[in-house]
């Protein structure tokens, strides 16, 4: 993926069958290693192959869309520019798109099922570092998500994974100069699993998909209510990642009133009329946002708040004290 001169693009254009067949076989054989729960050897292989396939899928999407939307301009965003050597015939593009959809179907169904099962087992064993690592891969598989692929299940999985990471995972990129320097074993293991590269990619995915997901959530108020309730249940560990509407509460979710508060969703006991909401929107730019309600799902920043207090991992300078570990454990 990091070769010079576009060698991966060249392989996809000149000999797509060979590389795409090999990728599908790699994914198939990797998923067959699943034993039903996390094991270090099989999990490392499966997750590596998933990351590899998602990254290569990005190259495939770029190549197809470049040839569909190619512009004559020398510069432009994404694939809307002119690049020598990326032209491909329609049959090749059709083959790439067909094979990409096959790979995506396997990832969405089989790989997602494996990740959800591993997460359930890890939660039962209170292995939150491992759960965070798996939720990071739940986010990663949606790196190339398109607006046409958005569904309730996809949005719930993406946002709940993001909020779970925000509330349970402590970034290891900070350099603390105060307090004890010793880190507990769970934090070291968590840092080794994530690495700085994966953390950067996750941040990029959050920013890339945020606007599209916010627009999808705002498009249908009834759908938004179900999505937000499901996210709250998953992040608070009330239910699993699967959709279970039997737990739904009769609350109505909307963006917090005030300037720059779009995407900061809060529940209300009563639904506003369209006229009242329109009046609020007209005054939004002239009012300051105020904290309301006991829960806030902030898609702007990817945070989750209860009783106006944002949930986040305990500061490393506190969690590494022996007294804290003795009382609450190392996870």
């Amino acid at each position: 993926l990091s070769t010079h001169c576009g060698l991966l693009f060249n392989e996809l254009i000149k000999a797509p069958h060979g590389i795409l067949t090999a990728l599908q076989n790699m994914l198939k054989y990797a998923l067959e290693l699943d034993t039903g729960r996390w094991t270090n050897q099989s999990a490392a292989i499966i997750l590596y192959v998933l990351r590899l396939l998602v990254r290569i899928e990005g190259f495939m999407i770029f190549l197809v869309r470049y040839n569909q939307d190619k512009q004559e301009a020398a510069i432009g965003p994404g694939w809307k520019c002119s690049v020598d050597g990326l032209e491909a015939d329609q049959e090749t593009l059709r083959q790439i798109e067909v094979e990409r959809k096959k790979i995506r179907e396997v990832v969405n169904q089989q790989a997602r099922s494996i990740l959800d099962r591993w997460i359930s087992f890890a939660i039962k064993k209170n292995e939150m570092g491992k759960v965070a690592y798996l939720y990071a891969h739940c986010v990663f598989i949606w790196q190339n998500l398109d607006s046409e692929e958005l569904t309730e299940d996809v949005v719930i999985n993406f946002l709940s994974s993001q909020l779970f990471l925000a509330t349970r995972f402590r970034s290891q990129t900070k350099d603390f100069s105060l307090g004890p320097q010793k880190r507990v074993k769970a934090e070291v293991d968590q840092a080794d699993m994530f690495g700085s590269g994966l953390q950067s990619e996750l941040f990029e995915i959050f920013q890339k998909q945020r606007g599209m997901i916010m627009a999808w959530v705002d498009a249908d108020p009834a759908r938004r209510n179900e999505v937000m309730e499901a996210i709250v249940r998953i992040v608070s560990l009330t239910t699993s990642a699967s959709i279970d509407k039997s737990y739904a509460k009769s609350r109505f979710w909307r963006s917090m009133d005030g300037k720059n508060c779009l995407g900061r969703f809060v529940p209300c006991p009563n639904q506003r009329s369209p006229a009242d909401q329109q009046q609020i929107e007209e005054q939004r730019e002239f009012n300051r946002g105020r904290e309301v309600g006991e829960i806030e799902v902030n898609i702007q920043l990817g945070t989750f708040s209860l009783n106006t207090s944002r949930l986040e991992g305990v500061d490393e300078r506190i969690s590494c004290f022996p007294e804290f570990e003795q009382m609450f454990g190392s996870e």
Side-chain angles (χ1 to χ4, degrees):
L1 297 180
S2 59
T3 55
H4 298 290
C5 305
L7 293 183
L8 179 56
F9 280 130
N10 187 69
E11 288 293 327
L12 290 173
I13 294 173
K14 303 300 182 182
H17 178 74
I19 187 171
L20 295 179
T21 301
L23 290 172
Q24 291 186 59
N25 289 335
M26 184 183 299
L27 179 60
K28 173 185 175 182
Y29 296 140
L31 296 180
E32 288 179 354
L33 297 176
D34 175 41
T35 61
R37 64 182 63 194
W38 173 288
T39 59
N40 290 335
Q41 292 182 342
S42 62
I45 296 174
I46 293 173
L47 296 179
Y48 168 78
V49 172
L50 280 179
R51 295 194 300 269
L52 176 66
L53 266 293
V54 170
R55 290 183 176 118
I56 294 180
E57 183 190 35
F59 282 75
M60 298 163 67
I61 292 175
F62 185 97
L63 187 60
V64 171
R65 292 183 177 176
Y66 171 81
N67 282 272
Q68 291 177 345
D69 304 331
K70 183 175 63 174
Q71 306 291 329
E72 296 301 328
I75 59 175
W79 52 83
K80 295 185 178 181
C81 59
S82 179
V83 181
D84 292 336
L86 292 186
E87 291 77 13
D89 58 76
Q90 292 301 315
E91 178 59 27
T92 299
L93 297 176
R94 186 196 66 80
Q95 183 179 359
I96 291 175
E97 184 63 15
V98 169
E99 299 302 322
R100 185 195 72 82
K101 289 182 178 179
K102 291 181 181 179
I103 294 174
R104 172 48 58 178
E105 183 178 2
V106 175
V107 171
N108 288 355
Q109 296 180 5
Q110 297 183 35
R112 272 282 312 280
S113 176
I114 290 174
L115 291 176
D116 290 343
R117 191 183 330 115
W118 287 356
I119 288 172
S120 298
F121 278 113
I123 289 176
K124 291 178 181 178
K125 298 174 67 176
N126 198 31
E127 297 175 333
M128 290 303 158
K130 193 175 296 181
V131 174
Y133 187 57
L134 292 171
Y135 269 125
H137 283 80
C138 288
V139 172
F140 196 86
I141 63 176
W142 304 122
Q143 182 179 33
N144 305 309
L145 187 63
D146 187 78
S147 58
E148 298 178 355
E149 300 173 336
L150 289 177
T151 63
E152 282 191 30
D153 179 55
V154 171
V155 173
I156 290 172
N157 183 260
F158 182 90
L159 291 179
S160 60
S161 300
Q162 180 183 8
L163 296 177
F164 190 96
L165 290 172
T167 57
R168 266 79 173 187
F169 174 68
R170 289 187 297 274
S171 173
Q172 304 296 335
T173 59
K174 299 178 181 178
D175 182 18
F176 295 111
S177 58
L178 299 176
Q181 298 300 313
K182 181 181 178 181
R183 289 158 58 190
V184 296
K185 182 178 183 300
E187 291 175 341
V188 175
D189 292 343
Q190 195 179 66
D192 292 340
M193 285 194 297
F194 274 83
S196 59
L198 182 56
Q199 293 182 50
S200 300
E201 288 185 88
L202 290 176
F203 182 80
E204 179 183 355
I205 294 171
F206 294 149
Q207 305 312 309
K208 175 183 176 182
Q209 308 294 7
R210 178 179 56 186
M212 178 179 65
I213 289 181
M214 284 181 58
W216 185 91
V217 170
D218 278 331
D220 188 338
R223 183 176 61 192
R224 178 174 64 229
N225 297 335
E226 295 179 358
V227 168
M228 291 300 159
E229 293 294 347
I231 291 172
V232 171
R233 294 195 302 271
I234 295 171
V235 176
S236 60
L237 301 181
T238 303
T239 60
S240 63
S242 59
I243 299 177
D244 186 356
K245 297 183 180 180
S246 63
Y247 284 85
K249 296 183 179 180
S250 57
R251 295 187 294 192
F252 302 94
W253 290 76
R254 58 172 176 80
S255 289
M256 186 186 300
D257 297 334
K259 186 176 182 179
N260 300 327
C261 288
L262 290 175
R264 299 179 61 182
F265 292 101
V266 293
C268 294
N270 300 314
Q271 187 174 17
R272 286 176 176 171
S273 66
D276 291 340
Q277 186 62 38
Q278 179 64 28
Q279 183 178 3
I280 293 295
E281 293 298 330
E282 293 175 354
Q283 299 296 322
R284 179 178 294 278
E285 292 297 318
F286 307 100
N287 296 322
R288 181 180 179 182
R290 294 184 299 173
E291 299 284 354
V292 294
E294 60 181 15
I295 301 176
E296 179 189 339
V297 176
N298 189 336
I299 300 182
Q300 286 186 12
L301 302 178
T303 59
F304 182 72
S305 301
L306 289 176
N307 298 323
T308 70
S309 298
R310 189 175 69 183
L311 300 185
E312 56 186 357
V314 178
D315 195 302
E316 181 181 337
R317 292 170 292 184
I318 298 175
S319 63
C320 61
F321 282 112
E323 296 83 359
F324 185 94
E325 183 178 354
Q326 182 179 4
M327 179 67 68
F328 299 103
S330 59
E331 282 284 351

